[in-house]
Amino acid sequence: MKIQDSKKIRPMAVAGKFYPNDRISLKQDLDSYFNTISQKERQTEQKDNHIILNYDQALTMSPRALIVPHAGYIFSGVVAASAFARIPENTKYHHIFLLGPSHYTSFHGASVCNAFDEYATPLGKIPVDKVLCNKLIEDNDCISYRSEAHDREHCLEVELPFLQHQINQVSPIIPIIIGTENLSILQKIASALKPYFTSDNLFIISSDFSHYPSYDDAEIIDQHTAEGILSGKKEKFIKAVMDNMQNNIPHLATSACGEAAIYVLLMMMADSTPLTIEHTLYLNSGDSPYGEKGEVVG
């Protein structure tokens, strides 16, 4: 007798494009990224006036949130690893919330994916807490489920193998795609999520930085954006983004494609117990041997 698995699995949308589609190659790439980070950071460094903690010291503290890129691994893998490496391997979160921008459709509010029991990657499957997903949708008029926001979207999917590499057993996830940059709606989303913004949960904010300026311009723009985030203040981040766009930088399309998700994080942080924000690593696509210097992504 053949027993069918009744679980609904979200298939991989960008395996073989943004990252390897086979387990062995993917694991080798991830090992390489994390090994690079451990070699870079086993000493205390100071860069751009932001202290980078000693690597071993950093690994004793479980982060509340990470802001990580979602470009192809050949461009962003090392930077993503620099953040995920901050999660101690024995950490057990209750839930992992993943927030990112919609690359294919615009809509008012956020889309929480309650359509699948698990998300697939070449390293295995990760459970979705459908009960909590349903609760968020039922309790908040700014949150719904839109299949078109998730079916082809890469910004959350590419983060999952890093979690699987770093955490022994990945906790249930809450996949959230944000389809608006309206600040009043983002505040509603932040208010809906804030009860879960605790030390028991992890928030993954998926965002690249500047899109398509030159290499030298990107370093200036992205430092300004990072300083806005490091302030922990929504207003300073908004000002940094506005300043960047008003400086008439050639080819600059955005300072951060996950700008809305970053807004939500900073809104959740408001009036919370003071948190330390740490800058881990910055690179842009021009630092990759596969990247050009004329137009880059931060």
Side-chain angles (χ1 to χ4, degrees):
M1 177 185 293
K2 184 176 181 180
I3 300 175
Q4 297 289 341
D5 187 349
S6 61
K7 290 183 178 179
K8 292 190 68 176
I9 310 298
R10 193 266 188 183
M12 295 171 278
V14 293
K17 299 175 183 177
F18 281 67
Y19 61 91
N21 59 3
D22 67 279
R23 180 184 181 89
I24 293 175
S25 297
L26 177 55
K27 189 176 185 306
Q28 289 175 340
D29 283 359
L30 291 168
D31 286 342
S32 173
Y33 303 142
F34 281 91
N35 287 339
T36 297
I37 291 303
S38 66
Q39 293 165 10
K40 282 178 177 289
E41 299 184 356
R42 286 195 177 277
Q43 70 279 347
T44 300
E45 298 180 357
Q46 186 167 350
K47 181 178 181 181
D48 300 332
N49 297 319
H50 306 309
I51 294 175
I52 299 177
L53 299 180
N54 176 276
Y55 185 76
D56 294 321
Q57 178 186 1
L59 291 184
T60 66
M61 301 180 295
S62 297
R64 183 83 61 91
L66 305 174
I67 300 176
V68 286
H70 55 241
Y73 283 14
I74 59 172
F75 300 115
S76 67
V78 172
V79 177
S82 75
F84 284 102
R86 296 298 192 259
I87 305 173
E89 292 182 5
N90 60 353
T91 300
K92 181 64 176 177
Y93 292 104
H94 288 174
H95 295 92
I96 298 176
F97 292 76
L98 297 113
L99 282 70
S102 176
H103 286 85
Y104 298 103
T105 183
S106 296
F107 53 92
H108 290 293
S111 175
V112 173
C113 188
N114 64 348
F116 302 102
D117 299 290
E118 296 175 323
Y119 270 49
T121 86
L123 301 182
K125 300 181 181 71
I126 297 176
V128 177
D129 189 329
K130 292 180 65 176
V131 173
L132 182 49
C133 289
N134 290 335
K135 178 176 173 54
L136 289 169
I137 293 170
E138 291 166 4
D139 292 351
N140 301 279
D141 59 9
C142 60
I143 298 176
S144 60
Y145 168 61
R146 297 169 178 265
S147 61
E148 69 274 15
H150 298 269
D151 292 345
R152 294 185 293 155
E153 183 57 59
H154 62 275
C155 72
L156 307 185
E157 176 183 329
V158 299
E159 314 302 357
L160 300 179
F162 286 94
L163 286 168
Q164 290 171 304
H165 181 280
Q166 190 64 15
I167 300 178
N168 294 330
Q169 183 175 353
V170 179
S171 305
I173 61 172
I174 312 296
I176 304 173
I177 295 295
I178 299 177
T180 181
E181 293 184 356
N182 181 294
L183 290 175
S184 63
I185 298 177
L186 295 178
Q187 184 62 67
K188 289 182 179 181
I189 296 169
S191 297
L193 296 177
K194 188 165 183 175
Y196 306 98
F197 186 61
T198 67
S199 59
D200 295 327
N201 297 316
L202 174 66
F203 277 75
I204 303 293
I205 309 300
S206 180
S207 179
D208 296 328
F209 270 23
S210 63
H211 279 51
Y212 317 130
S214 69
Y215 183 95
D216 291 338
D217 285 339
E219 291 199 317
I220 296 169
I221 293 164
D222 292 337
Q223 180 175 339
H224 195 198
T225 302
E227 288 170 349
I229 296 170
L230 286 159
S231 74
K233 304 294 184 183
K234 173 193 68 177
E235 295 77 14
K236 291 189 176 181
F237 176 60
I238 291 173
K239 185 177 186 305
V241 170
M242 290 180 63
D243 288 347
N244 285 341
M245 298 310 294
Q246 290 171 359
N247 284 337
N248 297 317
I249 306 297
H251 309 298
L252 178 63
T254 183
S255 293
C257 60
E259 177 182 329
I262 297 172
Y263 285 145
V264 170
L265 173 62
L266 296 175
M267 289 169 175
M268 289 192 297
M269 289 175 60
D271 303 321
S272 297
T273 302
L275 298 170
T276 299
I277 306 176
E278 175 195 349
H279 172 240
T280 59
L281 183 64
Y282 170 77
L283 296 170
N284 66 54
S285 59
D287 292 304
S288 166
Y290 303 96
E292 302 290 338
K293 302 285 188 181
E295 294 187 1
V296 304
V297 172

